[in-house]
Amino acid sequence: MDSIRTLLLARTQTVVLDPDRVANASTRPTRDVDLEKFEDELAQLGFVMSLDLAMTIRRLPHQAIVELRAWIATTLATTLGAHRPNVPLFRGFPAKAPDHTTSPYLRRMMSWLLTRPTQPCPWCGQLKAVGALDPCGHLVCRSCWDGGAYAGCPICHRRVAIGYPFVRAATTMEPVTHHDGELRLLHLGFDLIGSARSRFERLVGQPSPLAPDDRAEIEVVIDEMGPRTVQWLPARIPVKETMAITLARLWTVAPDRAAMLHATRGHLATATDVLRVAVVLLGGNPGLVEPMRLGSVGRGMRRALLEAIDRLPAEQVIEDMWRYRGLWKRVGERLHPYEYAKHLPVATLAFAAVRRTRLDTATFGGAIRDKAHGITTVRIANHRARVTPWASLVEQHLRTGDARAAAERLGQRPSELLRRVDHLLRVVQAQEPDAQAAVIGAASAAAARGSPAMLLGLAAHIARRTEPWPRRVFFPRGEVLKAWGTPDRRAPLRRDAIVAIVAIARAELVSRAQARRNFARAVIDRGLVDLLLLAPIGARAAGKSKIAWPRGSAIALPEVGDTTAGKVLRWFLHWEEPRGKRVDLDLSVAMFDGAWRHVATCDFANLVVGDRVVVHSGDLTSAPQPSGASEFVDLDLDRLRELGARHAVMVVFSYDAIAFDQLTCGFAGLMIRPRDGDPFDPRAVAQRFDLHGKSVITVPLVIDLEARRLRWLDVHIAGPSALAQVGGYRAALAHIGRDFADLASTGARPTLWDVAMIHAVARANIVYVRERSGAIAAYRRRDTEQALARLARLHAGDDPDAMLDVLPPANAPTWFALLRDDIALPAGSAGYVLDPKSASEGVERLSAAELVGELAR
Ligand SMILES: [Zn+2]
Ligand SMILES: [Zn+2]
């Protein structure tokens, strides 16, 4: 259980103690000085114990405290990595002459309080103005202290100064650096398994793909808890990749594999589900994104995987496997399916179809022929099993202009139908006008089974089909480098069809939202319209970043102050290489004009562009521990425009193609250039993100100098050869920047604004929309007005019930979806903030993926 304990400490800052051990502990066996060292060590790492933890630890035996201290300090230091705060011992303190009773802990606490007077109070847990008690330095907020009549500190029992209990600091200030200045509370817990379980259930049930740390947590918990973890699985795991990771681990730890297969078979509805599990077991990625390397598995596991395929309906298995036949062929080489031909006929037939095995020479050929009888998705020709995909009949109907028949067959697979609504309607318009009602009826029936992302995408797409788009952009399976664009040659759709389909999708989503908790009011920002929801929605294997910007979104540039040096943004990079391995990272900015023609590049070979319009801090080719290396590029935005540049693309490049995941620490970001001589100011950082993954090049963002906005691209490139394939480095950057801009400009992709409106009209009596101008438009529920009608008013934005200058204050819970954390939210509120500040008590904060996930049926 020790690894779970460590995991909970690292990820939730909770020290889970054994309740029996604590109950049997005596009182105060340890010297104060030992405890003070312990607390000082935590303070140096930026942590402070909660009241109950500090009191409990003091009752433990000396040896237990020594062990606890080593474990906590090591674990927390590891989680911080290179981002350790630098906490000076506050000098010139106290105002009176220092005496020997002034402890390092108290002085250290004063450094924190001077950096930031509001800190989490260890007693009540709320973020408040706190003080350090005189003379021990233990923190408490005024309301907690005033709430009791104390003569001494309840933690250490020292007498507290009579009258004013807090230490007053002198004015010589030396703040904490390399840290945002806010202490983190260390909590106390007792229920190790219970805490691990509730986190496990939340992660597995989460509607967005797992981040790398989350995946590691799931795997650690399964390793520790063993096969019984299977009882913690929900009936349905919403994300397939999560399902595969979890099942693969469970199968690995289970001594009785057949029993585990039986216990988890409810999660394996299709052959593709089994493929994902197999690929994870073989060391590949559960998203099935090629290229990937596959290892091998033992005989028992091979048999379990083949059995999992064999028990599925044969028709579906064959067609599903055909869809991923390239990958299945490679997996088949590792599973040796024909060894089990006699016992597993369905699996054998499916592999025979995928591999085009000659049946006349195979020992199992006869049996397989018999099995193929009566399965509509397969036929035998030329001694080989041939697959007839389910969709081939649909294609045939569409080709011959029979939209009605195509819609009827597609009705068997609702999500497939929703994906093809545009095509069906075009066939209707061109060839079969009287089938429009039938197609709309089929779409309406399918909507109830559509995923939220599918319905949001459908509404956004169809709504923009009134006229041709400037350019259509496709990202095959999320591969941005392989994106391609075409002129839009599709005929626009008829307005009545557009209105009907959009209403179907929105009505379905609104009715799902109405089933959720209701609120007195909602507050939403119209600026959310710039935040795109590109598929896959959520952060697939995303690294940590300060603000979770959805990929493809446009964000206003941070306000660049007027300094004598002009308006300057600083693009920064910091990294640290592992011991014994040199890693040379390069920061660069490529500039393009309005037509995406190259203007200039600022990089290690070209440190200055124009008359110091763009300036690189200089190339560093290694970053040894402990201090690592940093590079900056400063961009003078106004003067860049004068050079004819419109777009500036940011790039981090690993010169020797060593992947970012080899670094002990690596991050990059954007900030307003601080005052001269001050290279890095954490308060000025607008965005900061970790370099991660197997990639060696990342293109995080592009700045539009004219619109004063940045677009978050979050593009990761595995190697320079991928760039060569698309015409080289500059061409690739221009391509990426332009494709995303064109994609966003069609307005045919769902945005967070769409999601916010649906929740707001479905769940709140009054909806306040903060317009871009700053004015506030109020939309009440009018008598007999349906939610869909109010939604249409919000969309159009031209018929509010009132316009206000300020948001009325409220005590009732609020549903919110905001760009900034700038309104007071009563307890019981729930919603989304793009750039959240600190947690406030009783307010539930959801991620973008969770907002979408809440629209699932
Ligand atoms: Zn308090
Ligand atoms: Zn104290």
Side-chain angles (χ1 to χ4, degrees):
M1 294 299 128
D2 282 350
S3 49
I4 295 188
R5 212 180 287 274
T6 299
L7 190 147
L8 288 173
L9 174 57
R11 300 206 71 195
T12 70
Q13 291 83 50
T14 303
V15 178
V16 184
L17 297 175
D18 181 351
D20 294 336
R21 195 152 171 206
V22 170
N24 295 332
S26 55
T27 50
R28 298 189 50 76
T30 306
R31 294 180 307 156
D32 279 336
V33 59
D34 292 331
L35 286 160
E36 200 158 83
K37 268 192 191 154
F38 189 170
E39 290 178 312
D40 185 40
E41 195 169 11
L42 294 180
Q44 291 180 58
L45 293 170
F47 295 90
V48 60
M49 292 190 205
S50 70
L51 177 64
D52 53 354
L53 178 63
M55 290 167 72
T56 306
I57 279 186
R58 282 175 165 72
R59 305 199 342 252
L60 297 175
H62 177 72
Q63 191 51 34
I65 293 187
V66 171
E67 286 164 16
L68 210 55
R69 173 180 160 187
W71 168 66
I72 294 179
T74 316
T75 307
L76 296 178
T78 313
T79 58
L80 292 174
H83 313 310
R84 276 183 182 225
N86 174 20
V87 193
L89 275 176
F90 184 66
R91 282 174 243 285
F93 167 84
K96 59 192 186 221
D99 60 44
H100 64 279
T101 59
T102 311
S103 69
Y105 179 68
L106 171 55
R107 286 192 278 157
R108 202 89 67 183
M109 279 300 151
M110 294 316 291
S111 295
W112 283 105
L113 293 185
L114 282 166
T115 313
R116 211 181 142 130
T118 50
Q119 299 283 359
C121 164
W123 297 30
C124 61
Q126 290 185 37
L127 203 58
K128 285 188 171 177
V130 297
L133 290 175
D134 186 1
C136 63
H138 286 122
L139 299 183
V140 59
C141 76
R142 187 159 276 289
S143 35
C144 284
W145 183 260
D146 287 347
Y150 301 100
C153 167
I155 294 174
C156 63
H157 301 281
R158 255 172 281 187
R159 276 196 75 88
V160 169
I162 299 161
Y164 188 77
F166 298 118
V167 178
R168 270 186 246 265
T171 47
T172 344
M173 180 146 167
E174 204 175 343
V176 175
T177 50
H178 296 113
H179 195 273
D180 65 8
E182 189 178 313
L183 285 158
R184 308 285 187 266
L185 272 189
L186 273 188
H187 308 279
L188 172 65
F190 289 113
D191 183 3
L192 185 65
I193 308 254
S195 314
R197 177 173 184 161
S198 61
R199 286 183 57 82
F200 181 89
E201 288 174 345
R202 199 171 52 75
L203 287 175
V204 173
Q206 172 182 301
S208 53
L210 297 172
D213 283 354
D214 295 336
R215 173 178 180 166
E217 175 165 350
I218 284 182
E219 293 177 339
V220 164
V221 169
I222 293 175
D223 290 350
E224 282 279 354
M225 299 298 301
R228 62 185 153 150
T229 323
V230 73
Q231 292 156 18
W232 297 357
L233 295 187
R236 204 181 74 82
I237 300 173
V239 177
K240 292 291 185 194
E241 284 92 326
T242 307
M243 177 281 296
I245 288 164
T246 311
L247 261 58
R249 204 67 170 196
L250 283 167
W251 288 21
T252 306
V253 300
D256 183 349
R257 211 150 275 150
M260 185 53 82
L261 170 58
H262 187 78
T264 53
R265 64 185 175 160
H267 299 282
L268 298 170
T270 69
T272 307
D273 292 343
V274 181
L275 178 63
R276 290 181 200 277
V277 176
V279 162
V280 172
L281 287 166
L282 291 166
N285 68 74
L288 308 181
V289 181
E290 302 259 34
M292 64 174 135
R293 222 173 263 165
L294 297 177
S296 62
V297 287
R299 191 182 166 80
M301 195 65 91
R302 285 178 2 224
R303 167 121 202 184
L305 286 165
L306 292 166
E307 274 176 8
I309 299 169
D310 200 71
R311 39 158 295 276
L312 295 170
E315 299 206 355
Q316 271 179 36
V317 165
I318 287 162
E319 202 203 335
D320 280 353
M321 284 179 60
W322 184 250
R323 202 173 311 157
Y324 285 102
R325 55 189 172 280
L327 198 49
W328 271 117
K329 263 188 222 165
R330 296 177 58 203
V331 170
E333 285 162 18
R334 289 153 176 89
L335 296 187
H336 310 303
Y338 300 153
E339 276 179 30
Y340 306 94
K342 208 184 279 177
H343 305 285
L344 305 173
V346 172
T348 308
L349 172 59
F351 272 106
V354 163
R355 295 169 146 188
R356 298 183 179 280
T357 306
R358 277 192 80 101
L359 298 177
D360 51 345
T361 52
T363 52
F364 50 83
I368 291 307
R369 264 171 195 283
D370 295 345
K371 185 76 204 170
H373 263 301
I375 298 177
T376 58
T377 46
V378 73
R379 70 200 151 84
I380 306 287
N382 286 335
H383 306 292
R384 286 185 170 89
R386 302 267 171 158
V387 177
T388 331
W390 175 89
S392 60
L393 199 54
V394 176
E395 307 298 351
Q396 200 185 319
H397 290 315
L398 288 172
R399 259 197 313 275
T400 57
D402 192 348
R404 200 188 302 267
E408 196 184 314
R409 181 158 176 87
L410 282 166
Q412 296 170 10
R413 297 191 179 178
S415 55
E416 199 66 25
L417 188 143
L418 294 174
R419 217 187 314 269
R420 289 169 184 246
V421 166
D422 190 313
H423 193 174
L424 285 167
L425 288 175
R426 271 180 286 145
V427 173
V428 164
Q429 277 176 214
Q431 290 170 282
E432 202 184 5
D434 63 338
Q436 181 165 307
V439 167
I440 290 171
S444 173
R449 309 251 313 267
S451 70
M454 173 81 68
L455 294 167
L456 288 164
L458 179 65
H461 171 101
I462 295 290
R464 293 284 294 117
R465 289 281 284 118
T466 49
E467 59 192 14
W469 301 349
R471 181 168 172 255
R472 296 176 71 193
V473 181
F474 301 89
F475 290 104
R477 282 169 66 74
E479 276 278 352
V480 292
L481 276 184
K482 296 190 182 125
W484 50 284
T486 63
D488 186 5
R489 298 214 171 81
R490 298 167 301 179
L493 297 179
R494 274 175 51 172
R495 200 162 286 271
D496 59 338
I498 291 178
V499 169
I501 296 292
V502 170
I504 285 168
R506 285 187 186 153
E508 175 63 29
L509 291 165
V510 165
S511 85
R512 294 181 191 183
Q514 278 169 332
R516 300 259 163 192
R517 181 158 72 97
N518 279 24
F519 294 82
R521 64 170 194 166
V523 184
I524 58 180
D525 278 334
R526 196 174 287 272
L528 293 167
V529 77
D530 294 325
L531 302 184
L532 290 190
L533 291 171
L534 293 183
I537 289 169
R540 179 189 299 273
K544 260 185 255 157
S545 58
K546 181 171 179 253
I547 312 173
W549 286 335
R551 179 190 249 188
S553 296
I555 319 277
L557 278 183
E559 281 302 318
V560 182
D562 276 302
T563 62
T564 44
K567 299 179 172 181
V568 179
L569 265 189
R570 172 164 291 177
W571 163 226
F572 64 86
L573 162 70
H574 177 85
W575 80 103
E576 188 184 277
E577 63 205 16
R579 271 180 219 291
K581 189 170 215 168
R582 213 177 87 165
V583 183
D584 178 4
L585 294 192
D586 288 315
L587 192 63
S588 69
V589 180
M591 281 140 297
F592 300 89
D593 69 8
W596 290 99
R597 282 181 302 241
H598 184 251
V599 173
T601 294
C602 180
D603 61 10
F604 64 92
N606 187 27
L607 297 175
V608 177
V609 170
D611 179 20
R612 301 187 68 77
V613 174
V614 185
V615 182
H616 194 296
S617 64
D619 185 27
L620 295 171
T621 56
S622 69
Q625 298 181 11
S627 47
S630 302
E631 292 183 11
F632 310 111
V633 177
D634 285 352
L635 298 112
D636 186 327
L637 300 183
D638 287 341
R639 290 167 63 216
L640 255 178
R641 293 276 297 129
E642 291 162 18
L643 280 186
R646 162 87 194 255
H647 307 284
V649 185
M650 311 287 151
V651 185
V652 181
F653 203 105
S654 173
Y655 189 77
D656 301 310
I658 296 168
F660 295 132
D661 63 0
Q662 302 271 305
L663 298 170
T664 49
C665 154
F667 59 88
L670 202 61
M671 66 180 173
I672 302 151
R673 186 175 71 179
R675 283 185 309 266
D676 284 339
D678 205 2
F680 187 79
D681 178 357
R683 283 157 300 187
V685 171
Q687 173 67 306
R688 200 209 98 126
F689 49 90
D690 284 354
L691 300 171
H692 68 98
K694 296 269 174 241
S695 49
V696 300
I697 301 165
T698 180
V699 186
L701 58 95
V702 52
I703 293 174
D704 183 334
L705 297 160
E706 192 172 295
R708 292 261 163 188
R709 281 142 77 85
L710 67 86
R711 189 173 302 285
W712 183 241
L713 306 179
D714 195 22
V715 167
H716 303 269
I717 300 165
S721 62
L723 289 181
Q725 281 170 23
V726 291
Y729 182 68
R730 284 179 191 170
L733 296 181
H735 199 332
I736 293 168
R738 178 175 173 219
D739 288 341
F740 271 101
D742 285 356
L743 183 79
S745 74
T746 59
R749 295 293 180 139
T751 67
L752 267 177
W753 167 244
D754 294 327
V755 181
M757 279 189 297
I758 287 165
H759 280 288
V761 298
R763 302 171 67 181
N765 287 327
I766 304 183
V767 179
Y768 295 104
V769 177
R770 296 201 299 188
E771 300 292 349
R772 289 191 198 263
S773 63
I776 291 159
Y779 294 85
R780 281 166 221 290
R781 232 193 265 274
R782 291 180 184 165
D783 283 345
T784 73
E785 184 181 43
Q786 298 290 312
L788 217 49
R790 192 158 60 139
L791 181 63
R793 284 203 287 139
L794 259 77
H795 256 290
D798 55 4
D799 185 20
D801 297 298
M803 289 301 292
L804 312 167
D805 292 331
V806 288
L807 193 65
N811 298 322
T814 300
W815 193 90
F816 56 92
L818 307 169
L819 292 169
R820 281 171 305 278
D821 216 348
D822 54 359
I823 61 170
L825 293 162
S829 299
Y832 168 86
V833 181
L834 173 66
D835 184 4
K837 288 216 180 68
S838 50
S840 33
E841 198 69 19
V843 174
E844 187 188 359
R845 288 175 189 276
L846 301 162
S847 66
E850 283 168 329
L851 283 197
V852 175
E854 286 203 334
L855 297 174
R857 190 170 263 278

